[in-house]
Coordinates of all heavy atoms in Angstrom, one line a residue:
G328 N 2.8 2.8 5.7 CA 3.0 4.1 6.1 C 3.0 4.2 7.6 O 3.8 5.0 8.3
A329 N 2.1 3.5 8.3 CA 2.0 3.5 9.7 C 3.3 3.1 10.4 O 3.7 3.7 11.4 CB 0.8 2.6 10.2
V330 N 3.9 2.0 9.9 CA 5.1 1.5 10.6 C 6.3 2.5 10.4 O 7.0 2.7 11.3 CB 5.5 0.1 10.0 CG1 6.0 0.2 8.6 CG2 6.5 -0.6 11.0
L331 N 6.3 3.2 9.3 CA 7.3 4.2 9.1 C 7.1 5.4 10.0 O 8.0 5.9 10.6 CB 7.4 4.7 7.6 CG 8.3 3.9 6.6 CD1 8.2 4.5 5.3 CD2 9.8 4.0 7.1
A332 N 5.9 5.8 10.0 CA 5.5 6.9 10.9 C 5.9 6.6 12.4 O 6.5 7.5 13.1 CB 4.1 7.3 10.8
R333 N 5.5 5.5 12.8 CA 5.8 5.1 14.2 C 7.3 5.0 14.5 O 7.8 5.5 15.5 CB 5.2 3.7 14.5 CG 5.3 3.1 15.9 CD 4.4 3.9 16.9 NE 5.1 5.0 17.5 CZ 4.5 6.0 18.0 NH1 3.2 6.1 18.0 NH2 5.2 7.1 18.5
H334 N 8.0 4.5 13.5 CA 9.4 4.4 13.6 C 10.1 5.8 13.7 O 11.0 6.0 14.5 CB 10.0 3.6 12.5 CG 11.5 3.2 12.6 ND1 11.9 2.3 13.6 CD2 12.6 3.6 11.9 CE1 13.2 2.2 13.5 NE2 13.7 2.9 12.5
L335 N 9.7 6.7 12.8 CA 10.3 8.0 12.8 C 10.0 8.8 14.1 O 10.9 9.5 14.6 CB 9.9 8.8 11.6 CG 10.3 8.2 10.3 CD1 9.8 9.1 9.1 CD2 11.8 7.9 10.1
L336 N 8.8 8.7 14.6 CA 8.4 9.4 15.8 C 9.2 8.8 17.0 O 9.6 9.5 18.0 CB 6.9 9.3 16.1 CG 6.1 10.1 15.1 CD1 4.6 9.7 15.3 CD2 6.3 11.6 15.4
D337 N 9.5 7.4 17.0 CA 10.2 6.8 18.1 C 11.7 7.0 18.0 O 12.4 7.0 19.0 CB 9.9 5.3 18.1 CG 8.5 5.0 18.5 OD1 7.8 5.8 19.1 OD2 8.1 3.8 18.3
R338 N 12.2 7.3 16.8 CA 13.6 7.5 16.5 C 13.9 8.8 15.8 O 14.3 8.8 14.6 CB 14.2 6.3 15.7 CG 14.0 4.9 16.4 CD 15.2 4.7 17.3 NE 16.5 4.9 16.7 CZ 17.1 4.0 16.0 NH1 16.5 2.8 15.7 NH2 18.2 4.3 15.4
P339 N 13.6 9.9 16.4 CA 13.7 11.2 15.7 C 15.1 11.5 15.2 O 15.2 12.3 14.2 CB 13.2 12.2 16.8 CG 13.4 11.5 18.1 CD 13.2 10.1 17.8
E340 N 16.1 10.9 15.7 CA 17.5 11.2 15.2 C 17.6 10.7 13.8 O 18.6 11.2 13.1 CB 18.5 10.4 16.1 CG 18.4 8.9 16.1 CD 17.5 8.2 17.0 OE1 16.6 9.0 17.6 OE2 17.5 7.0 17.2
I341 N 16.7 9.9 13.3 CA 16.8 9.5 11.9 C 16.6 10.7 11.0 O 17.1 10.7 9.8 CB 15.8 8.4 11.6 CG1 16.2 7.1 12.4 CG2 15.7 8.1 10.1 CD1 15.1 6.0 12.3
V342 N 15.7 11.6 11.4 CA 15.3 12.7 10.5 C 15.8 14.1 10.9 O 15.7 15.0 10.1 CB 13.8 12.7 10.2 CG1 13.3 11.4 9.6 CG2 13.0 12.9 11.6
V343 N 16.2 14.3 12.2 CA 16.5 15.6 12.7 C 17.4 16.3 11.7 O 18.5 15.9 11.4 CB 17.0 15.6 14.1 CG1 17.6 16.9 14.5 CG2 15.9 15.1 15.1
G344 N 17.0 17.5 11.3 CA 17.9 18.3 10.5 C 18.1 17.9 9.0 O 18.9 18.5 8.3
R345 N 17.4 16.9 8.6 CA 17.6 16.3 7.3 C 16.5 16.7 6.3 O 15.4 17.0 6.7 CB 17.7 14.8 7.3 CG 18.8 14.3 8.3 CD 18.8 12.8 8.3 NE 19.5 12.3 7.2 CZ 19.6 10.9 6.9 NH1 19.0 10.1 7.7 NH2 20.3 10.5 5.9
R346 N 16.8 16.6 5.0 CA 15.8 16.9 4.0 C 15.2 15.5 3.6 O 15.8 14.6 3.2 CB 16.5 17.5 2.7 CG 17.2 18.8 3.0 CD 18.1 19.2 1.8 NE 19.2 18.2 1.7 CZ 20.0 18.1 0.7 NH1 19.9 19.0 -0.3 NH2 20.9 17.2 0.6
V347 N 13.8 15.4 3.8 CA 13.1 14.2 3.6 C 12.1 14.3 2.5 O 11.4 15.3 2.4 CB 12.4 13.8 5.0 CG1 11.6 12.5 4.9 CG2 13.4 13.7 6.1
L348 N 12.0 13.2 1.7 CA 10.9 13.1 0.8 C 10.1 11.8 1.0 O 10.7 10.7 1.1 CB 11.5 13.1 -0.7 CG 10.5 13.2 -1.8 CD1 11.0 14.0 -3.0 CD2 10.0 11.8 -2.3
D349 N 8.8 12.0 1.0 CA 7.9 10.9 1.2 C 7.3 10.5 -0.2 O 6.6 11.3 -0.8 CB 6.8 11.3 2.2 CG 5.8 10.2 2.5 OD1 6.0 9.0 2.0 OD2 4.8 10.4 3.2
L350 N 7.7 9.4 -0.7 CA 7.3 9.0 -2.0 C 5.9 8.2 -2.0 O 5.9 7.2 -1.2 CB 8.4 8.1 -2.7 CG 8.1 7.5 -4.1 CD1 8.0 8.7 -5.1 CD2 9.2 6.5 -4.5
G351 N 5.0 8.5 -2.8 CA 3.7 7.9 -2.7 C 3.0 8.2 -1.4 O 2.6 7.3 -0.7
A352 N 3.0 9.5 -1.1 CA 2.7 9.9 0.3 C 1.3 9.7 0.8 O 1.1 9.7 2.0 CB 3.0 11.4 0.4
G353 N 0.3 9.5 -0.1 CA -1.0 9.3 0.3 C -1.6 10.4 1.2 O -1.7 11.5 0.7
S354 N -2.0 10.0 2.4 CA -2.5 11.0 3.3 C -1.5 12.0 3.9 O -1.8 13.0 4.5 CB -3.1 10.2 4.5 OG -2.1 9.6 5.3
G355 N -0.2 11.7 3.7 CA 0.9 12.5 4.3 C 1.3 12.0 5.6 O 2.1 12.7 6.3
L356 N 0.9 10.8 6.1 CA 1.2 10.3 7.4 C 2.7 10.3 7.7 O 3.1 10.8 8.7 CB 0.6 8.9 7.6 CG 0.9 8.1 8.8 CD1 0.5 8.9 10.1 CD2 0.2 6.7 8.8
V357 N 3.4 9.7 6.8 CA 4.9 9.6 7.0 C 5.6 10.9 7.0 O 6.4 11.3 7.8 CB 5.5 8.6 6.0 CG1 7.0 8.4 6.3 CG2 4.8 7.2 6.0
A358 N 5.1 11.7 6.0 CA 5.7 13.1 5.9 C 5.4 13.9 7.2 O 6.3 14.6 7.7 CB 5.1 13.8 4.7
I359 N 4.2 13.8 7.8 CA 3.9 14.5 9.0 C 4.7 14.0 10.1 O 5.2 14.8 10.9 CB 2.4 14.3 9.3 CG1 1.5 15.1 8.2 CG2 2.0 14.8 10.7 CD1 0.1 14.7 8.2
A360 N 4.9 12.7 10.2 CA 5.8 12.1 11.3 C 7.2 12.6 11.1 O 7.8 13.0 12.2 CB 5.8 10.6 11.2
A361 N 7.7 12.7 9.9 CA 9.1 13.2 9.7 C 9.2 14.7 10.2 O 10.1 15.1 10.8 CB 9.5 13.1 8.2
A362 N 8.2 15.5 9.8 CA 8.2 16.9 10.2 C 8.1 17.0 11.8 O 8.8 17.8 12.4 CB 7.0 17.6 9.6
K363 N 7.2 16.2 12.4 CA 7.1 16.3 13.8 C 8.4 15.8 14.5 O 8.7 16.3 15.6 CB 5.9 15.4 14.3 CG 4.5 16.0 14.2 CD 3.5 15.1 14.7 CE 2.2 15.8 14.9 NZ 2.1 16.7 16.0
A364 N 9.1 14.9 13.9 CA 10.3 14.4 14.4 C 11.5 15.4 14.3 O 12.6 15.1 14.8 CB 10.6 13.0 13.9
G365 N 11.3 16.4 13.5 CA 12.4 17.4 13.4 C 13.1 17.5 12.1 O 14.2 18.1 12.1
A366 N 12.6 17.0 11.0 CA 13.2 17.1 9.7 C 13.4 18.6 9.4 O 12.5 19.4 9.7 CB 12.4 16.4 8.7
A367 N 14.4 18.9 8.6 CA 14.6 20.3 8.2 C 13.6 20.7 7.2 O 13.0 21.8 7.2 CB 16.1 20.5 7.6
T368 N 13.4 19.9 6.2 CA 12.4 20.1 5.2 C 11.7 18.8 4.9 O 12.4 17.7 4.9 CB 12.9 20.7 3.9 OG1 13.8 19.8 3.3 CG2 13.6 22.0 4.1
V369 N 10.4 18.8 4.5 CA 9.7 17.6 4.1 C 8.9 17.9 2.9 O 8.2 18.8 2.8 CB 8.8 17.1 5.3 CG1 8.1 15.8 4.8 CG2 9.5 16.9 6.6
T370 N 9.1 17.0 1.9 CA 8.3 17.0 0.7 C 7.5 15.8 0.6 O 8.0 14.7 0.8 CB 9.3 17.2 -0.6 OG1 10.1 18.3 -0.4 CG2 8.5 17.3 -1.8
A371 N 6.3 15.9 0.2 CA 5.4 14.7 0.0 C 4.9 14.7 -1.5 O 4.5 15.7 -2.0 CB 4.2 14.8 0.9
V372 N 5.2 13.6 -2.1 CA 4.9 13.4 -3.5 C 3.9 12.3 -3.7 O 4.1 11.2 -3.2 CB 6.1 13.1 -4.4 CG1 5.8 12.9 -5.8 CG2 7.1 14.3 -4.2
D373 N 2.8 12.5 -4.5 CA 1.9 11.5 -4.8 C 1.3 11.8 -6.2 O 1.3 13.0 -6.7 CB 0.7 11.4 -3.8 CG 0.0 10.1 -3.9 OD1 -0.8 9.9 -4.8 OD2 0.2 9.3 -3.0
I374 N 0.9 10.7 -7.0 CA 0.4 11.0 -8.3 C -1.1 11.5 -8.3 O -1.5 12.0 -9.3 CB 0.5 9.7 -9.2 CG1 -0.4 8.6 -8.6 CG2 1.9 9.2 -9.4 CD1 -0.6 7.4 -9.5
D375 N -1.7 11.4 -7.2 CA -3.1 11.7 -7.1 C -3.3 13.1 -6.5 O -2.9 13.4 -5.4 CB -3.8 10.7 -6.1 CG -5.4 10.8 -6.1 OD1 -5.9 11.9 -6.5 OD2 -6.0 9.8 -5.8
A376 N -3.9 14.0 -7.3 CA -4.1 15.4 -6.9 C -5.0 15.4 -5.6 O -4.9 16.4 -4.8 CB -4.7 16.2 -8.0
N377 N -5.9 14.5 -5.5 CA -6.8 14.5 -4.3 C -5.9 14.2 -3.0 O -6.2 14.7 -1.9 CB -7.9 13.4 -4.4 CG -8.9 13.8 -5.5 OD1 -9.2 14.9 -5.7 ND2 -9.5 12.8 -6.1
A378 N -4.9 13.3 -3.2 CA -4.0 13.1 -2.1 C -3.3 14.4 -1.7 O -3.1 14.6 -0.4 CB -3.0 12.0 -2.4
I379 N -2.9 15.2 -2.6 CA -2.2 16.4 -2.3 C -3.1 17.4 -1.5 O -2.7 18.0 -0.5 CB -1.7 17.1 -3.6 CG1 -0.8 16.2 -4.4 CG2 -1.0 18.4 -3.2 CD1 0.3 15.6 -3.6
A380 N -4.4 17.4 -1.9 CA -5.4 18.2 -1.1 C -5.4 17.7 0.4 O -5.5 18.5 1.3 CB -6.7 18.2 -1.7
A381 N -5.5 16.4 0.5 CA -5.5 15.7 1.8 C -4.3 16.0 2.6 O -4.4 16.3 3.8 CB -5.8 14.2 1.7
I382 N -3.1 15.9 2.0 CA -1.9 16.2 2.7 C -1.8 17.6 3.2 O -1.4 17.9 4.4 CB -0.7 15.9 1.7 CG1 -0.5 14.4 1.4 CG2 0.6 16.5 2.3 CD1 0.4 14.1 0.3
D383 N -2.3 18.6 2.4 CA -2.2 20.0 2.9 C -3.2 20.2 4.1 O -2.8 20.8 5.1 CB -2.7 20.9 1.7 CG -1.7 21.1 0.6 OD1 -0.5 20.9 0.9 OD2 -2.0 21.5 -0.5
L384 N -4.3 19.5 4.0 CA -5.3 19.6 5.2 C -4.7 18.9 6.4 O -4.8 19.4 7.5 CB -6.6 19.0 4.8 CG -7.4 19.8 3.8 CD1 -8.6 18.9 3.3 CD2 -7.9 21.1 4.3
N385 N -4.2 17.7 6.2 CA -3.6 17.0 7.3 C -2.4 17.6 8.0 O -2.2 17.6 9.2 CB -3.3 15.5 6.9 CG -4.5 14.7 6.6 OD1 -5.6 15.0 7.2 ND2 -4.4 13.8 5.7
A386 N -1.6 18.2 7.1 CA -0.4 18.9 7.7 C -0.9 20.1 8.6 O -0.3 20.3 9.7 CB 0.5 19.5 6.5

Side-chain angles (χ1 to χ4, degrees):
V330 72
L331 270 177
R333 182 71 272 157
H334 189 66
L335 297 183
L336 289 169
D337 291 346
R338 297 279 307 278
E340 66 274 12
I341 295 171
V342 298
V343 168
R345 303 180 80 187
R346 300 167 298 173
V347 179
L348 189 146
D349 182 7
L350 180 66
S354 66
L356 172 58
V357 184
I359 291 166
K363 280 183 167 288
T368 63
V369 182
T370 303
V372 176
D373 200 284
I374 62 170
D375 190 339
N377 292 328
I379 302 307
I382 291 167
D383 287 339
L384 290 171
N385 289 332

